[in-house]
Amino acid sequence: MSDLAALENETLAAIGAASDEAALESVRVGALGKKGAISALLATLGKLPPDERKAHGAAINALKDQVTEALAARRGILKKAALEAQLKREMVDVTLPVRLPAVETGRIHPLSQAMDEIITIFADMGFSVAEGPDIESDDYNFTKLNFPPGHPARDMHDTFFLEPDAHGERKVLRTHTSPVQVRTMLSQKPPIRIICPGRTYRTDFDQTHTPMFHQVEGLVVDESATLANLKWVLEEFCKAFFEVPRVGMRFRPSFFPFTSPSMEVDIQCRRSGGEIRFGEGDDWLEILGCGMVHPNVLTNCGIDPEVYQGFAWGMGADRVAMLKYGLPDLRDFFDADLRWINHYGFKPLEVPTLAGGLSG
Ligand code: DAH
Protein backbone atom coordinates (compact mmCIF):
# COMPACT_ATOMS: atom_id res chain seq x y z
CA MET A 1 0.00 0.00 0.00
CA SER A 2 1.37 3.43 -0.93
CA ASP A 3 2.05 5.97 1.82
CA LEU A 4 -0.79 8.06 0.55
CA ALA A 5 -3.28 5.18 0.79
CA ALA A 6 -2.10 4.39 4.30
CA LEU A 7 -2.51 8.04 5.32
CA GLU A 8 -5.98 8.04 3.79
CA ASN A 9 -7.03 4.94 5.70
CA GLU A 10 -5.59 6.16 8.91
CA THR A 11 -7.12 9.66 8.69
CA LEU A 12 -10.56 8.46 7.66
CA ALA A 13 -10.54 5.91 10.46
CA ALA A 14 -9.61 8.63 12.98
CA ILE A 15 -12.41 10.83 11.67
CA GLY A 16 -14.89 7.98 12.05
CA ALA A 17 -13.70 7.31 15.59
CA ALA A 18 -13.83 10.94 16.81
CA SER A 19 -16.54 10.92 19.45
CA ASP A 20 -16.96 14.68 19.89
CA GLU A 21 -16.12 17.91 18.13
CA ALA A 22 -12.95 18.48 20.11
CA ALA A 23 -11.57 15.06 19.11
CA LEU A 24 -12.55 15.76 15.49
CA GLU A 25 -10.76 19.09 15.57
CA SER A 26 -7.54 17.45 16.70
CA VAL A 27 -7.79 14.95 13.81
CA ARG A 28 -8.24 17.92 11.45
CA VAL A 29 -5.20 19.69 12.84
CA GLY A 30 -3.18 16.44 12.59
CA ALA A 31 -4.04 16.11 8.89
CA LEU A 32 -4.70 19.56 7.47
CA GLY A 33 -3.23 21.95 10.05
CA LYS A 34 -0.03 23.86 9.36
CA LYS A 35 2.06 20.98 10.61
CA GLY A 36 -0.46 18.31 9.58
CA ALA A 37 0.47 15.17 7.64
CA ILE A 38 -1.26 16.20 4.41
CA SER A 39 0.07 19.75 4.56
CA ALA A 40 3.56 18.27 5.03
CA LEU A 41 3.11 16.16 1.89
CA LEU A 42 2.01 19.19 -0.09
CA ALA A 43 5.10 21.02 1.08
CA THR A 44 7.32 18.28 -0.40
CA LEU A 45 5.87 18.79 -3.89
CA GLY A 46 8.28 21.60 -4.70
CA LYS A 47 11.20 19.22 -4.39
CA LEU A 48 9.82 16.69 -6.89
CA PRO A 49 10.81 16.70 -10.56
CA PRO A 50 8.14 18.57 -12.59
CA ASP A 51 6.81 15.50 -14.37
CA GLU A 52 6.06 13.71 -11.06
CA ARG A 53 4.83 16.84 -9.37
CA LYS A 54 1.60 17.05 -11.31
CA ALA A 55 0.40 13.53 -10.74
CA HIS A 56 1.48 13.47 -7.14
CA GLY A 57 0.00 16.91 -6.48
CA ALA A 58 -3.32 15.83 -7.90
CA ALA A 59 -3.37 12.72 -5.69
CA ILE A 60 -2.55 14.68 -2.52
CA ASN A 61 -5.14 17.33 -3.30
CA ALA A 62 -7.73 14.62 -3.92
CA LEU A 63 -6.91 13.17 -0.52
CA LYS A 64 -7.15 16.63 1.01
CA ASP A 65 -10.60 17.14 -0.52
CA GLN A 66 -11.71 13.70 0.61
CA VAL A 67 -10.55 14.35 4.17
CA THR A 68 -12.15 17.80 4.21
CA GLU A 69 -15.44 16.28 3.14
CA ALA A 70 -15.23 13.46 5.66
CA LEU A 71 -14.51 16.00 8.41
CA ALA A 72 -17.55 18.07 7.45
CA ALA A 73 -19.78 15.02 7.33
CA ARG A 74 -18.57 13.77 10.70
CA ARG A 75 -18.92 17.25 12.23
CA GLY A 76 -22.54 17.35 11.06
CA ILE A 77 -23.24 14.01 12.76
CA LEU A 78 -21.55 15.01 15.99
CA LYS A 79 -23.35 18.38 16.13
CA LYS A 80 -26.70 16.71 15.69
CA ALA A 81 -25.92 14.16 18.41
CA ALA A 82 -24.76 16.93 20.78
CA LEU A 83 -27.95 18.90 20.15
CA GLU A 84 -30.10 15.85 20.73
CA ALA A 85 -28.30 15.10 23.99
CA GLN A 86 -28.76 18.71 25.11
CA LEU A 87 -32.46 18.67 24.27
CA LYS A 88 -32.90 15.46 26.17
CA ARG A 89 -31.02 16.85 29.15
CA GLU A 90 -33.00 20.06 29.23
CA MET A 91 -36.37 18.55 28.56
CA VAL A 92 -39.15 20.02 30.68
CA ASP A 93 -42.20 17.93 31.36
CA VAL A 94 -44.86 20.62 31.39
CA THR A 95 -47.39 18.17 32.76
CA LEU A 96 -45.47 17.84 36.09
CA PRO A 97 -46.97 19.64 39.12
CA VAL A 98 -45.46 23.05 39.89
CA ARG A 99 -42.79 23.06 42.60
CA LEU A 100 -44.07 25.42 45.33
CA PRO A 101 -41.80 28.15 46.71
CA ALA A 102 -40.41 27.73 50.24
CA VAL A 103 -42.88 30.25 51.62
CA GLU A 104 -45.70 27.89 50.61
CA THR A 105 -44.12 24.63 51.77
CA GLY A 106 -42.30 25.80 54.92
CA ARG A 107 -44.14 25.49 58.21
CA ILE A 108 -44.08 27.53 61.41
CA HIS A 109 -43.61 25.39 64.51
CA PRO A 110 -46.78 25.32 66.67
CA LEU A 111 -44.76 26.65 69.59
CA SER A 112 -43.54 29.64 67.56
CA GLN A 113 -47.13 30.15 66.47
CA ALA A 114 -48.37 30.03 70.06
CA MET A 115 -45.61 32.42 71.19
CA ASP A 116 -46.54 34.87 68.43
CA GLU A 117 -50.18 34.63 69.46
CA ILE A 118 -49.35 35.23 73.13
CA ILE A 119 -47.19 38.24 72.29
CA THR A 120 -49.89 39.64 70.00
CA ILE A 121 -52.52 39.43 72.74
CA PHE A 122 -50.40 41.03 75.45
CA ALA A 123 -49.03 43.68 73.09
CA ASP A 124 -52.64 44.66 72.44
CA MET A 125 -53.09 45.11 76.20
CA GLY A 126 -50.09 47.44 76.33
CA PHE A 127 -47.35 45.04 77.46
CA SER A 128 -43.89 45.19 75.94
CA VAL A 129 -41.53 42.26 75.49
CA ALA A 130 -38.45 41.93 77.71
CA GLU A 131 -35.68 39.37 77.38
CA GLY A 132 -32.83 37.95 79.43
CA PRO A 133 -30.06 35.38 79.00
CA ASP A 134 -30.53 31.61 79.26
CA ILE A 135 -27.42 31.35 81.44
CA GLU A 136 -28.30 33.24 84.58
CA SER A 137 -26.69 34.06 87.88
CA ASP A 138 -27.87 32.23 90.98
CA ASP A 139 -28.64 35.66 92.40
CA TYR A 140 -31.14 36.61 89.68
CA ASN A 141 -32.59 33.13 89.25
CA PHE A 142 -33.07 32.58 93.00
CA THR A 143 -31.76 34.96 95.63
CA LYS A 144 -33.31 38.25 94.44
CA LEU A 145 -36.56 36.37 93.89
CA ASN A 146 -36.67 35.72 97.62
CA PHE A 147 -35.18 32.23 97.59
CA PRO A 148 -32.45 32.80 100.20
CA PRO A 149 -29.44 30.44 99.93
CA GLY A 150 -30.38 27.09 101.40
CA HIS A 151 -34.11 27.79 101.10
CA PRO A 152 -36.00 24.52 100.49
CA ALA A 153 -37.99 26.07 97.63
CA ARG A 154 -34.80 25.96 95.54
CA ASP A 155 -35.16 22.18 95.49
CA MET A 156 -38.50 22.52 93.70
CA HIS A 157 -36.51 23.53 90.64
CA ASP A 158 -34.48 20.69 89.16
CA THR A 159 -31.64 22.99 88.30
CA PHE A 160 -28.84 22.59 85.78
CA PHE A 161 -25.76 24.13 87.40
CA LEU A 162 -22.69 25.21 85.46
CA GLU A 163 -19.14 24.68 86.70
CA PRO A 164 -18.05 27.42 89.14
CA ASP A 165 -16.17 30.27 87.42
CA ALA A 166 -12.85 31.82 88.54
CA HIS A 167 -14.65 33.68 91.37
CA GLY A 168 -16.33 30.47 92.52
CA GLU A 169 -19.71 31.66 91.14
CA ARG A 170 -21.90 28.86 89.91
CA LYS A 171 -24.17 30.04 87.10
CA VAL A 172 -27.38 28.17 86.28
CA LEU A 173 -29.45 27.53 83.17
CA ARG A 174 -32.43 29.64 84.20
CA THR A 175 -35.14 27.42 85.67
CA HIS A 176 -37.86 29.98 84.93
CA THR A 177 -38.32 33.32 83.18
CA SER A 178 -38.77 35.10 86.52
CA PRO A 179 -35.16 36.42 86.58
CA VAL A 180 -36.19 38.69 83.71
CA GLN A 181 -38.52 40.36 86.23
CA VAL A 182 -35.45 41.13 88.32
CA ARG A 183 -33.49 42.47 85.35
CA THR A 184 -36.41 44.66 84.33
CA MET A 185 -37.03 46.10 87.80
CA LEU A 186 -33.32 46.80 88.24
CA SER A 187 -33.17 48.70 84.95
CA GLN A 188 -36.57 50.43 84.68
CA LYS A 189 -38.66 52.66 86.88
CA PRO A 190 -42.35 51.84 87.44
CA PRO A 191 -44.84 51.81 85.87
CA ILE A 192 -43.68 48.48 84.41
CA ARG A 193 -45.78 46.32 82.14
CA ILE A 194 -43.81 43.54 80.46
CA ILE A 195 -43.97 39.97 79.29
CA CYS A 196 -40.86 37.81 78.93
CA PRO A 197 -41.16 34.86 76.59
CA GLY A 198 -38.18 32.53 76.57
CA ARG A 199 -36.43 29.22 77.03
CA THR A 200 -36.12 27.66 80.46
CA TYR A 201 -34.36 24.51 81.69
CA ARG A 202 -34.93 21.80 84.26
CA THR A 203 -33.67 18.24 84.63
CA ASP A 204 -36.96 16.61 83.75
CA PHE A 205 -38.04 14.35 80.91
CA ASP A 206 -41.39 12.68 80.20
CA GLN A 207 -44.48 13.14 78.03
CA THR A 208 -45.14 16.63 79.35
CA HIS A 209 -41.63 17.68 80.42
CA THR A 210 -38.47 18.27 78.43
CA PRO A 211 -35.15 19.54 79.82
CA MET A 212 -35.58 22.68 77.72
CA PHE A 213 -39.04 24.20 77.67
CA HIS A 214 -40.63 27.64 77.38
CA GLN A 215 -42.37 30.09 79.64
CA VAL A 216 -43.96 33.47 79.30
CA GLU A 217 -43.51 35.62 82.35
CA GLY A 218 -45.66 38.66 82.98
CA LEU A 219 -45.00 41.57 85.34
CA VAL A 220 -46.91 44.71 86.21
CA VAL A 221 -45.59 47.16 88.80
CA ASP A 222 -47.23 50.47 89.55
CA GLU A 223 -48.83 52.26 92.48
CA SER A 224 -52.17 50.51 92.28
CA ALA A 225 -51.86 47.07 90.63
CA THR A 226 -54.21 44.62 92.33
CA LEU A 227 -55.14 40.97 92.34
CA ALA A 228 -58.37 41.94 90.56
CA ASN A 229 -56.33 43.44 87.70
CA LEU A 230 -54.26 40.26 87.55
CA LYS A 231 -57.37 38.10 87.27
CA TRP A 232 -58.81 40.32 84.55
CA VAL A 233 -55.61 40.28 82.52
CA LEU A 234 -55.33 36.49 82.71
CA GLU A 235 -58.98 35.94 81.91
CA GLU A 236 -58.88 38.25 78.90
CA PHE A 237 -55.71 36.51 77.77
CA CYS A 238 -57.28 33.04 78.02
CA LYS A 239 -60.40 34.06 76.09
CA ALA A 240 -58.29 35.58 73.33
CA PHE A 241 -55.76 32.76 73.21
CA PHE A 242 -58.20 29.87 73.26
CA GLU A 243 -60.52 31.84 70.98
CA VAL A 244 -63.67 31.31 73.04
CA PRO A 245 -66.20 33.87 74.33
CA ARG A 246 -65.83 32.70 77.93
CA VAL A 247 -63.44 30.51 79.90
CA GLY A 248 -63.79 28.80 83.24
CA MET A 249 -60.75 29.60 85.38
CA ARG A 250 -59.85 28.32 88.81
CA PHE A 251 -57.41 30.24 91.02
CA ARG A 252 -55.98 27.84 93.61
CA PRO A 253 -53.87 29.05 96.54
CA SER A 254 -50.26 28.00 96.12
CA PHE A 255 -46.75 28.97 97.12
CA PHE A 256 -43.94 30.74 95.31
CA PRO A 257 -41.23 32.58 97.24
CA PHE A 258 -41.50 35.62 94.96
CA THR A 259 -45.26 36.22 95.29
CA SER A 260 -47.64 36.70 98.18
CA PRO A 261 -50.38 35.68 97.93
CA SER A 262 -49.56 33.04 95.31
CA MET A 263 -51.92 31.09 93.11
CA GLU A 264 -51.97 28.44 90.47
CA VAL A 265 -54.45 28.80 87.66
CA ASP A 266 -56.38 26.00 85.95
CA ILE A 267 -58.62 26.36 82.96
CA GLN A 268 -61.79 24.43 82.43
CA CYS A 269 -62.05 22.08 79.49
CA ARG A 270 -63.79 19.01 78.16
CA ARG A 271 -61.84 16.30 76.43
CA SER A 272 -63.70 13.82 74.28
CA GLY A 273 -62.61 11.66 71.38
CA GLY A 274 -59.26 13.38 70.92
CA GLU A 275 -60.96 16.80 70.87
CA ILE A 276 -60.62 19.43 73.52
CA ARG A 277 -63.08 22.26 74.20
CA PHE A 278 -62.46 25.17 76.51
CA GLY A 279 -64.99 26.96 78.67
CA GLU A 280 -67.00 23.80 79.40
CA GLY A 281 -66.59 20.31 80.89
CA ASP A 282 -65.26 18.84 84.14
CA ASP A 283 -61.53 18.79 83.43
CA TRP A 284 -59.21 21.41 84.90
CA LEU A 285 -55.75 21.90 83.46
CA GLU A 286 -53.04 23.90 85.16
CA ILE A 287 -51.48 26.51 82.90
CA LEU A 288 -49.72 29.05 85.08
CA GLY A 289 -48.56 30.32 88.45
CA CYS A 290 -49.16 33.90 89.57
CA GLY A 291 -49.50 36.26 92.48
CA MET A 292 -48.75 39.67 93.94
CA VAL A 293 -45.04 40.44 93.78
CA HIS A 294 -43.51 39.83 97.24
CA PRO A 295 -42.35 43.07 98.93
CA ASN A 296 -38.92 41.47 99.47
CA VAL A 297 -38.54 41.07 95.70
CA LEU A 298 -39.44 44.72 95.11
CA THR A 299 -36.93 45.76 97.80
CA ASN A 300 -34.23 43.45 96.37
CA CYS A 301 -34.72 45.15 93.01
CA GLY A 302 -34.59 48.71 94.32
CA ILE A 303 -38.33 49.42 94.26
CA ASP A 304 -40.01 50.78 97.37
CA PRO A 305 -42.82 48.41 98.41
CA GLU A 306 -44.41 51.22 100.45
CA VAL A 307 -45.05 53.09 97.19
CA TYR A 308 -45.34 50.40 94.57
CA GLN A 309 -47.02 47.05 94.24
CA GLY A 310 -47.19 44.57 91.44
CA PHE A 311 -48.52 41.32 90.10
CA ALA A 312 -46.80 38.65 88.07
CA TRP A 313 -47.36 35.32 86.42
CA GLY A 314 -45.40 32.58 84.72
CA MET A 315 -47.08 30.48 82.10
CA GLY A 316 -45.95 27.26 80.45
CA ALA A 317 -45.86 28.23 76.78
CA ASP A 318 -45.38 24.67 75.53
CA ARG A 319 -48.24 23.55 77.70
CA VAL A 320 -50.75 26.08 76.37
CA ALA A 321 -49.60 25.30 72.81
CA MET A 322 -50.17 21.58 73.47
CA LEU A 323 -53.62 22.30 74.88
CA LYS A 324 -54.74 24.65 72.14
CA TYR A 325 -53.44 22.58 69.26
CA GLY A 326 -54.10 19.09 70.65
CA LEU A 327 -50.46 18.00 70.68
CA PRO A 328 -50.14 14.93 72.86
CA ASP A 329 -46.38 14.70 73.54
CA LEU A 330 -44.06 17.60 74.33
CA ARG A 331 -41.01 15.60 73.28
CA ASP A 332 -42.25 15.72 69.66
CA PHE A 333 -41.77 19.50 69.73
CA PHE A 334 -38.02 19.10 69.70
CA ASP A 335 -37.53 16.01 67.53
CA ALA A 336 -37.28 17.99 64.27
CA ASP A 337 -39.41 15.37 62.48
CA LEU A 338 -40.56 16.86 59.18
CA ARG A 339 -43.71 14.72 59.10
CA TRP A 340 -44.75 16.19 62.46
CA ILE A 341 -44.03 19.79 61.50
CA ASN A 342 -45.79 19.36 58.15
CA HIS A 343 -48.84 18.03 59.94
CA TYR A 344 -48.99 20.39 62.92
CA GLY A 345 -47.18 23.44 61.55
CA PHE A 346 -48.69 26.72 60.36
CA LYS A 347 -48.38 28.50 57.04
CA PRO A 348 -45.71 31.20 57.22
CA LEU A 349 -47.85 33.95 55.77
CA GLU A 350 -50.73 33.33 58.14
CA VAL A 351 -49.35 35.60 60.83
CA PRO A 352 -51.57 35.72 63.92
CA THR A 353 -53.41 38.99 64.41
CA LEU A 354 -56.27 39.84 66.71
CA ALA A 355 -58.28 41.34 63.87
CA GLY A 356 -57.67 38.52 61.41
CA GLY A 357 -58.10 35.64 63.86
CA LEU A 358 -55.17 34.25 65.79
CA SER A 359 -54.81 30.76 64.41
CA GLY A 360 -56.25 31.35 60.92
N1 DAH B 1 -41.55 30.97 88.05
C1 DAH B 1 -42.62 30.04 88.39
C2 DAH B 1 -42.24 28.65 87.91
O1 DAH B 1 -41.52 28.51 87.00
C3 DAH B 1 -43.89 30.46 87.74
C4 DAH B 1 -44.40 31.73 88.33
C5 DAH B 1 -45.27 31.70 89.37
C6 DAH B 1 -43.99 32.93 87.82
C7 DAH B 1 -45.75 32.84 89.94
C8 DAH B 1 -44.47 34.12 88.37
C9 DAH B 1 -45.36 34.05 89.44
O2 DAH B 1 -44.13 35.32 87.93
O3 DAH B 1 -45.83 35.22 89.96
O4 DAH B 1 -42.68 27.70 88.49
Side-chain angles (χ1 to χ4, degrees):
M1 205 186 333
S2 74
D3 285 355
L4 215 53
L7 182 58
E8 177 185 330
N9 283 345
E10 191 186 307
T11 310
L12 293 180
I15 291 172
S19 58
D20 58 28
E21 289 191 69
L24 191 63
E25 176 60 10
S26 73
V27 176
R28 187 193 68 78
V29 171
L32 303 178
K34 262 196 200 132
K35 294 182 185 154
I38 295 175
S39 310
L41 282 177
L42 282 170
T44 61
L45 282 180
K47 290 187 192 125
L48 289 178
D51 53 331
E52 280 180 38
R53 196 182 298 164
K54 195 165 175 209
H56 213 68
I60 299 172
N61 275 317
L63 173 59
K64 187 179 169 186
D65 291 347
Q66 196 187 357
V67 166
T68 306
E69 241 172 65
L71 282 168
R74 183 70 187 153
R75 186 169 299 121
I77 292 170
L78 289 176
K79 267 209 161 76
K80 193 163 169 239
L83 180 64
E84 270 165 16
Q86 186 189 0
L87 287 175
K88 204 165 174 188
R89 210 169 46 241
E90 295 177 358
M91 189 179 70
V92 175
D93 181 350
V94 293
T95 64
L96 284 176
V98 175
R99 189 178 297 157
L100 292 171
V103 75
E104 294 288 341
T105 53
R107 287 291 175 269
I108 300 293
H109 195 287
L111 177 65
S112 303
Q113 174 80 14
M115 283 288 206
D116 287 346
E117 294 177 15
I118 294 169
I119 293 170
T120 301
I121 296 166
F122 284 114
D124 188 59
M125 289 191 211
F127 285 79
S128 48
V129 172
E131 286 181 312
D134 291 13
I135 296 175
E136 191 50 281
S137 67
D138 187 283
D139 186 37
Y140 285 7
N141 195 78
F142 291 122
T143 313
K144 284 214 167 25
L145 288 166
N146 202 30
F147 294 81
H151 191 286
R154 287 185 177 225
D155 300 339
M156 283 162 43
H157 293 214
D158 307 298
T159 312
F160 285 107
F161 291 98
L162 275 70
E163 291 291 328
D165 64 15
H167 313 287
E169 189 197 339
R170 214 170 42 153
K171 291 240 161 71
V172 300
L173 290 182
R174 67 180 178 192
T175 57
H176 50 180
T177 40
S178 304
V180 186
Q181 286 191 27
V182 175
R183 290 176 172 273
T184 307
M185 287 190 274
L186 286 173
S187 62
Q188 290 177 29
K189 296 250 160 301
I192 290 170
R193 209 174 286 141
I194 52 144
I195 56 166
C196 338
R199 277 191 281 268
T200 45
Y201 303 85
R202 292 187 199 179
T203 59
D204 226 349
F205 190 66
D206 61 29
Q207 193 179 344
T208 53
H209 296 88
T210 48
M212 188 274 300
F213 59 107
H214 298 79
Q215 290 188 339
V216 178
E217 190 83 8
L219 173 70
V220 171
V221 181
D222 60 24
E223 291 176 17
S224 61
T226 66
L227 208 58
N229 301 148
L230 167 65
K231 288 181 75 173
W232 182 87
V233 165
L234 294 177
E235 209 171 296
E236 288 304 305
F237 164 76
C238 284
K239 284 194 290 190
F241 181 76
F242 292 107
E243 301 179 60
V244 287
R246 62 165 292 279
V247 279
M249 296 179 78
R250 200 164 67 174
F251 288 75
R252 281 182 289 108
S254 182
F255 171 79
F256 301 104
F258 35 90
T259 42
S260 177
S262 304
M263 289 157 292
E264 278 173 317
V265 177
D266 307 327
I267 57 164
Q268 184 187 25
C269 64
R270 181 196 307 286
R271 277 192 270 208
S272 61
E275 270 232 338
I276 184 158
R277 286 181 180 284
F278 298 96
E280 54 185 79
D282 306 322
D283 254 353
W284 293 93
L285 293 169
E286 186 195 323
I287 56 166
L288 59 87
C290 62
M292 296 304 292
V293 180
H294 197 290
N296 289 354
V297 175
L298 293 174
T299 308
N300 291 343
C301 298
I303 292 179
D304 183 354
E306 297 297 327
V307 181
Y308 294 106
Q309 52 195 25
F311 59 82
W313 71 88
M315 181 167 60
D318 314 88
R319 176 164 300 190
V320 293
M322 286 172 81
L323 280 176
K324 178 166 180 179
Y325 293 119
L327 309 167
D329 194 321
L330 181 57
R331 292 167 296 197
D332 294 339
F333 277 44
F334 311 115
D335 271 353
D337 184 334
L338 271 182
R339 293 165 304 178
W340 186 86
I341 187 92
N342 283 336
H343 182 73
Y344 288 111
F346 290 80
K347 295 197 173 154
L349 294 181
E350 288 177 4
V351 179
T353 63
L354 289 179
L358 282 180
S359 53

